[in-house]
Amino acid sequence: MEIKRTKIVDIFDASLVGTTVRVKGWVKTRRGNKYVQFVALNDGSTIKNIQIVFDLQKFTEEQLKPITTGAAIHVEGQLVESLGKGQSVEIQAETLEIYGTADPETYPLQKKGHTLEFLRDIAHLRPRTNTFGAVLRIRHALAFAIHKYFNERGFFYLNTPLITGSDCEGAGAMFQVTTLNLNDLPKKEDGTVDYEQDFFGKPTSLTVSGQLEGELGATALGQIYTFGPTFRAENSNTPRHLAEFWMIEPEMAFYDITDNMDLAEDFIKHCVSYALENCADDINFLAQMYDKELVNRLKFIVENDFVRLTYTEGVDILMKSGKKFEFPVSWGIDLQSEHERYLVEEHFKKPVILTDYPKEIKAFYMKLNDDGKTVRAMDVLFPMIGEIIGGSQREESYDKLLARIEELHIPMKDMWWYLDTRRFGTVPHSGFGLGFERLVLFVTGMTNIRDVIPFPRTPKRAEF
Ligand code: ATP
Ligand code: MN
């Protein structure tokens, strides 16, 4: 019987020592002398490589010549305990098959130690590097942890639309979706574009958030969450913004803002501790390469309570800090990342949940407090990241919500379906949005959001 392929992640199992195994993967390095050659092979299943030993009495130099960095090979041989340093087991090669060569003259990853900037230019190949292998495996584990968390708590996964007909989701600039010929636009008599001839018969865009539809789900199923791509045409070239990113948006009927904060804190701790338990090799690799404090920081999040305070208290602390900020602080401003990070990293030295923001800087659907000035918003602020979660208790009163919509001149024709949740069986409810890449950024310790998504979309960049 033919032996099955063993994934490298499984090969370090002691019971395999002494048996014949078959591995397939991509060559990391080859070194050695004229008697013996050592190949480090990786198949993406783990950060670890398996060492393969080629005895030159069994193989000719000619046979081994195509084994260069990046080549894909298939090897069969005995798994034996290794005498060398740095690995526990190795394979004594008996057969070799070359699947595909990688010309050292042109293979971009021939050398080690490329900068992350350079790797962004070869995003089609960077998953083969140790760093991106680690990041992508952690990203997968976090996605799984998120579905697991909600499933175990009776939340239903709701798929909200990516194409939306309302331009008032309120979370940022939108990308238009159209099938009209931009070089020959149909016009109405008054000279404006005739959208009746467009695919949907009206202007449409890519969604910036699934929340409004999420509320429709929550006021029927009780507790739902979304987990999907969102799009923001914000021309902000920061290390924390993408034009296309993934967001998790739980929405819960009968939750007030305290329930909402409790869920957000428990949820994010669960995600971080899942990664610590299940991605130790990858996290340790990234810690060693980029950030020695990474593991301590992750543990700290899991083990400590988040500090909760109001926006007003936060602004007070910032104003009394004596610190010179690039953007000066006063009550009413939208906090910048530098302010958020001051509170988290310097003042409290803990994650912070800031609540009760001025209504002017928050979305129309947030519940108005009795002071008439602030709304029941909550942002979760993290070290290194700033805002990782934004959420709120929603305004459940039809009259108050309508008043706010009118105050902000949001076109009613777009909002009737949303207002129906408040006309028929309205309930107190809350929810939040977690930016998935900001979570992956935090857990991996990477510093640029472009390095935690396989194919980043940013201004002027959408090649692969
Ligand atoms: P920021 O002030 O950082 O731009 P925001 O206030 O626009 O964030 P929300 O609209 O509340 O953010 O979105 C919810 C979450 O989505 C944020 O807390 C953040 O984690 C994430 N997020 C928002 N915009 C982006 C983006 N352009 N790229 C990646 N993640 C984002
Ligand atoms: Mn934003």
Side-chain angles (χ1 to χ4, degrees):
M1 203 182 78
E2 202 176 78
I3 341 158
K4 287 210 185 94
R5 166 190 172 219
T6 304
K7 284 203 228 155
I8 294 171
V9 67
D10 299 322
I11 210 128
F12 304 97
D13 182 340
S15 72
L16 288 175
V17 173
T19 68
T20 299
V21 294
R22 163 178 288 191
V23 291
K24 302 180 177 192
W26 293 271
V27 173
K28 284 281 176 190
T29 57
R30 173 159 69 94
R31 61 186 176 80
N33 52 43
K34 60 184 197 281
Y35 307 109
V36 61
Q37 292 275 312
F38 302 98
V39 170
L41 194 72
N42 187 278
D43 67 0
S45 61
T46 164
I47 189 87
K48 292 184 193 152
N49 302 326
I50 182 76
Q51 170 156 289
I52 299 169
V53 186
F54 288 93
D55 184 339
L56 279 127
Q57 287 185 326
K58 288 190 206 152
F59 296 90
T60 63
E61 290 206 23
E62 202 55 31
Q63 265 180 302
L64 301 186
K65 212 170 147 210
I67 306 185
T68 57
T69 299
I73 63 172
H74 164 194
V75 171
E76 209 180 282
Q78 272 254 317
L79 189 72
V80 298
E81 268 170 41
S82 173
L83 301 176
K85 266 202 252 158
Q87 68 272 324
S88 53
V89 291
E90 62 192 21
I91 296 172
Q92 300 279 357
E94 277 142 34
T95 68
L96 165 68
E97 180 187 359
I98 312 262
Y99 284 129
T101 57
D103 182 357
E105 296 295 315
T106 52
Y107 183 54
L109 297 172
Q110 171 64 27
K111 283 205 242 32
K112 275 186 150 186
H114 290 301
T115 64
L116 294 168
E117 284 81 10
F118 172 79
L119 293 176
R120 274 172 225 145
D121 289 333
I122 52 162
H124 61 306
L125 290 173
R126 68 179 185 171
R128 295 210 194 163
T129 62
N130 288 331
T131 294
F132 284 89
V135 168
L136 295 177
R137 282 185 296 270
I138 293 170
R139 185 179 163 107
H140 160 80
L142 286 169
F144 180 77
I146 288 165
H147 284 297
K148 183 169 181 293
Y149 180 87
F150 287 122
N151 183 56
E152 284 170 357
R153 285 157 185 79
F155 284 64
F156 299 103
Y157 179 33
L158 185 79
N159 300 123
T160 50
L162 299 191
I163 298 176
T164 172
S166 63
D167 59 2
C168 49
E169 288 172 347
M174 302 178 95
F175 289 101
Q176 193 173 346
V177 173
T178 180
T179 52
L180 293 177
N181 179 354
L182 298 184
N183 292 313
D184 186 15
L185 287 170
K187 297 279 171 66
K188 291 193 291 194
E189 287 199 341
D190 64 2
T192 58
V193 175
D194 182 8
Y195 280 106
E196 280 185 25
Q197 296 190 41
D198 202 350
F199 190 91
F200 295 104
K202 60 184 284 195
T204 50
S205 317
L206 292 177
T207 185
V208 292
S209 154
Q211 183 204 313
L212 302 187
E213 293 88 351
E215 289 184 47
L216 305 179
T219 51
L221 298 168
Q223 329 181 81
I224 62 91
Y225 69 105
T226 72
F227 188 168
T230 45
F231 307 87
R232 296 190 185 178
E234 43 197 7
N235 207 347
S236 48
N237 254 311
T238 82
R240 287 169 298 98
H241 288 89
L242 290 162
E244 176 180 293
F245 66 100
W246 289 65
M247 184 141 66
I248 297 98
E249 294 181 278
E251 189 72 34
M252 296 72 63
F254 318 115
Y255 266 50
D256 67 13
I257 188 156
T258 307
D259 302 323
N260 204 22
M261 286 192 277
D262 292 346
L263 180 75
E265 181 169 342
D266 184 61
F267 167 58
I268 213 159
K269 285 178 170 170
H270 164 91
C271 293
V272 174
S273 81
Y274 185 90
L276 278 168
E277 278 165 33
N278 292 276
C279 308
D281 288 346
D282 288 323
I283 290 175
N284 289 334
F285 170 80
L286 294 172
Q288 184 194 325
M289 286 291 290
Y290 299 100
D291 182 355
K292 302 273 179 286
E293 276 308 300
L294 178 60
V295 176
N296 285 340
R297 200 157 59 238
L298 299 182
K299 286 191 178 149
F300 186 83
I301 294 294
V302 176
E303 288 161 10
N304 285 280
D305 288 342
F306 298 2
V307 177
R308 300 179 183 190
L309 71 158
T310 64
Y311 168 94
T312 304
E313 291 164 333
V315 163
D316 241 30
I317 292 171
L318 291 168
M319 294 204 304
K320 288 186 185 138
S321 70
K323 177 136 176 142
K324 268 253 165 300
F325 293 109
E326 192 191 336
F327 296 91
V329 182
S330 61
W331 198 93
I333 65 151
D334 201 356
L335 297 182
Q336 302 291 321
S337 169
E338 56 170 339
H339 309 130
E340 298 173 341
R341 291 184 61 176
Y342 175 84
L343 290 174
V344 172
E345 291 167 23
E346 295 182 50
H347 188 81
F348 290 109
K349 300 194 163 55
K350 273 187 182 184
V352 168
I353 310 182
L354 219 51
T355 59
D356 304 290
Y357 284 71
K359 66 176 182 188
E360 285 76 18
I361 58 171
K362 289 291 181 188
F364 71 94
Y365 49 71
M366 297 190 181
K367 186 174 172 66
L368 192 62
N369 280 319
D370 293 338
D371 63 12
K373 289 194 312 193
T374 59
V375 289
R376 243 163 256 186
M378 51 159 248
D379 282 5
V380 180
L381 313 179
F382 255 41
M384 318 289 284
I385 308 284
E387 180 187 333
I388 192 161
I389 282 178
S392 67
Q393 182 169 345
R394 320 306 188 189
E395 182 56 76
E396 82 264 23
S397 148
Y398 179 86
D399 292 333
K400 286 189 193 160
L401 186 60
L402 186 64
R404 192 70 184 131
I405 285 174
E406 283 170 352
E407 207 177 343
L408 293 170
H409 306 292
I410 297 172
M412 273 300 293
K413 66 171 177 23
D414 287 339
M415 291 320 287
W416 64 271
W417 54 271
Y418 182 69
L419 279 162
D420 268 6
T421 54
R422 277 60 167 180
R423 281 178 65 200
F424 307 117
T426 190
V427 292
H429 63 290
S430 302
F432 60 82
L434 166 74
F436 186 49
E437 284 74 19
R438 298 221 183 144
L439 176 66
V440 184
L441 206 50
F442 182 74
V443 172
T444 57
M446 303 301 280
T447 50
N448 193 313
I449 200 163
R450 295 167 176 83
D451 298 331
V452 297
I453 186 165
F455 307 104
R457 296 285 176 265
T458 51
K460 304 276 182 282
R461 244 182 217 247
E463 189 162 35
F464 35 58

